[in-house]
Amino acid sequence: MIKYCDLKEINRAYEPQLTDAVTRVIHSGWYIRGNEVDGFEKAFADYCGCKYCIGTGNGLDALTIILLAYREKGVMKHGDEVIVPANTYIASILSIIQAGLKPVLCEPDARTYTIDATRIESLITERTRAIMPVHLYGYAADMNEINTIAGKYYLKVIEDAAQAHGAMYCNKKVGNLGDAAAFSFYPGKNLGALGDGGAVTTNDHDLAEAVKAIGNYGSHKKYINIYKGVNSRLDELQAATLKVKLQNLDVDNLRRNEIAQQYLNGIKNTGIRLPITNDKERHVFHIFAIMSKEREALQEHLAQNGIETLIHYPVPPHRQEALREFSHLSFPITEEIHETELSLPCNPSMSDNEVQKVIEVINSFKQK
């Protein structure tokens, strides 16, 4: 069986460093916001090319806390609007709602699957305060256009970079392309922890200080609370393991790109739409997403041949019961993506032989 994402094999490549890191933390006796977190935050800020990184409990919290910080700083208030792609994972939208703001859904570009910058301006109202581009599947959104629009209307740009660790855009890494960015370190990410974790990156000192406090019950000093905060902190164990894996992130991303290029060159099945790659550095292939109108039959064909695949994501946010207030809306491009997307295995633990088998099985699939 070719697994979609074999975390055991992926993490085996980092031994014995991972075990050493975990052992070091256990023996330290310090498990929350200590030297390991400080060291990782500095290393990840340097990696992204920005001034500040603040660890959080997960990626959803990272997004939410950014928005809460802007509310605390008076930049946004209850009911203000944030423009976000309609085809994102639900977490992007939940963060806006949890911060007391209103999501305004925007169709994606049908070629790149990231937010369609040409549609953003028509959605801006007097209540709009931010744009939240999502670097979906690992592909950096069209940030030059987004930042130009944001500058014109004095809007904040908050990157959802949960799937794009290390992706580049115009020689800058994601996480350093807007006013702030949120990352997830869920175990299956390109930079994955051994549990939940997240981070905020920014060049704004005041925002960074507010984010750090809000994630710590609204406090910089124990028992002195300046904000109505939450409890969302990256722990020492996760920080220590992330610091180990960060050293090899670019190498791992290069391997993902090598696998993706084999897929792009080898898959000849005309019934399948492959992702575009205008710039190799712009895509880190967290997900290698193909589109097929016969997705279920293709997925079954792959499974019968020992290949595990996933769907990202079977139900679009505006069709989820949890977001039924958006159910009256129609987003044809988003809906087509969610009805046809299939994710192929694409991770550093794969061998070239496994990649070639996936290609052969896909090419052997007979369209109806």
Side-chain angles (χ1 to χ4, degrees):
M1 166 67 75
I2 299 174
K3 292 185 178 181
Y4 176 76
C5 183
D6 190 337
L7 290 176
K8 186 175 180 179
E9 284 301 311
I10 289 171
N11 287 321
R12 191 194 303 275
Y14 295 95
E15 289 293 2
Q17 293 93 331
L18 283 180
T19 296
D20 290 345
V22 170
T23 302
R24 182 175 70 247
V25 173
I26 293 171
H27 290 170
S28 75
W30 192 286
Y31 308 118
I32 298 290
R33 280 197 172 178
N35 291 334
E36 301 292 349
V37 170
D38 289 345
F40 172 72
E41 288 176 341
K42 183 181 187 309
F44 195 64
D46 290 345
Y47 177 81
C48 293
C50 58
K51 294 180 181 178
Y52 308 105
C53 170
I54 305 94
T56 63
N58 54 67
L60 170 57
D61 285 356
L63 282 171
T64 306
I65 291 170
I66 292 169
L67 295 169
L68 290 174
Y70 277 130
R71 286 200 60 185
E72 291 285 2
K73 304 303 287 185
V75 176
M76 302 177 191
K77 59 183 181 295
H78 182 83
D80 280 345
E81 297 171 354
V82 179
I83 297 172
V84 62
N87 64 313
T88 186
Y89 182 54
I90 194 172
S92 310
I93 296 166
L94 289 177
S95 72
I96 299 168
I97 295 171
Q98 290 178 6
L101 305 169
K102 179 182 176 182
V104 176
L105 307 185
C106 180
E107 282 272 55
D109 185 311
R111 301 169 304 110
T112 67
Y113 314 128
T114 59
I115 192 168
D116 186 344
T118 66
R119 298 173 183 263
I120 292 174
E121 201 160 2
S122 67
L123 299 174
I124 294 173
T125 72
E126 62 182 12
R127 297 302 301 274
T128 307
R129 295 294 177 269
I131 305 168
M132 184 183 287
V134 179
H135 305 307
L136 196 67
Y137 306 149
Y139 188 80
D142 190 356
M143 296 302 296
N144 283 346
E145 289 300 317
I146 292 166
N147 283 322
T148 296
I149 295 167
K152 180 178 178 181
Y153 293 93
Y154 305 100
L155 307 177
K156 297 297 183 182
V157 175
I158 302 163
E159 300 172 73
D160 182 340
Q163 298 184 359
H165 316 70
M168 303 282 288
Y169 181 88
C170 294
N171 297 316
K172 293 178 70 175
K173 284 194 174 76
V174 301
N176 189 28
L177 300 172
D179 294 286
F183 289 86
S184 165
F185 302 125
Y186 183 77
K189 303 295 187 182
N190 290 35
L191 181 60
L194 301 184
D196 268 324
V200 172
T201 57
T202 184
N203 290 307
D204 183 334
H205 177 266
D206 289 344
L207 180 68
E209 288 296 299
V211 165
K212 188 167 186 176
I214 289 169
N216 188 42
Y217 300 101
S219 171
H220 285 301
K221 183 178 180 181
K222 196 169 185 178
Y223 304 132
I224 305 298
N225 304 82
I226 55 177
Y227 303 120
K228 297 181 180 70
V230 299
N231 176 18
S232 182
R233 300 170 296 200
L234 184 67
D235 68 60
E236 289 283 280
L237 280 170
Q238 303 308 333
T241 58
L242 287 166
K243 194 161 55 172
V244 169
K245 298 178 75 175
L246 178 60
Q247 298 174 39
N248 213 49
L249 177 56
D250 287 340
V251 174
D252 286 349
N253 283 342
L254 179 61
R255 177 58 184 160
R256 288 176 182 269
N257 256 283
E258 289 172 351
I259 293 167
Q261 290 305 313
Q262 289 184 58
Y263 283 151
L264 291 167
N265 294 332
I267 295 174
K268 304 299 183 184
N269 195 314
T270 57
I272 291 169
R273 182 151 60 96
L274 298 170
I276 67 162
T277 52
N278 293 338
D279 181 343
K280 287 183 181 180
E281 290 188 329
R282 191 170 170 180
H283 209 322
V284 290
F285 289 102
H286 171 60
I287 294 169
F288 190 94
I290 63 173
M291 305 291 159
S292 170
K293 294 186 182 298
E294 298 183 45
R295 176 177 67 191
E296 283 69 28
L298 175 58
Q299 187 173 39
E300 179 60 24
H301 175 70
L302 286 159
Q304 288 176 354
N305 285 273
I307 299 166
E308 184 181 29
T309 57
L310 294 180
I311 296 171
H312 294 89
Y313 304 94
V315 182
H318 69 287
R319 293 286 184 251
Q320 297 282 359
E321 176 64 19
L323 299 179
R324 51 190 172 276
E325 64 267 34
F326 298 100
S327 62
H328 65 286
L329 300 174
S330 175
F331 297 101
I333 298 172
T334 290
E335 289 156 18
E336 182 179 359
I337 291 169
H338 285 261
E339 289 166 2
T340 61
E341 194 277 340
L342 186 65
S343 304
L344 301 183
C346 185
N347 65 77
S349 72
M350 290 183 73
S351 69
D352 285 345
N353 286 340
E354 289 176 322
V355 176
Q356 289 307 308
K357 180 178 178 181
V358 175
I359 292 170
E360 290 166 9
V361 173
I362 289 177
N363 286 339
S364 70
F365 178 66
K366 304 299 183 186
Q367 307 287 334
K368 290 184 179 178

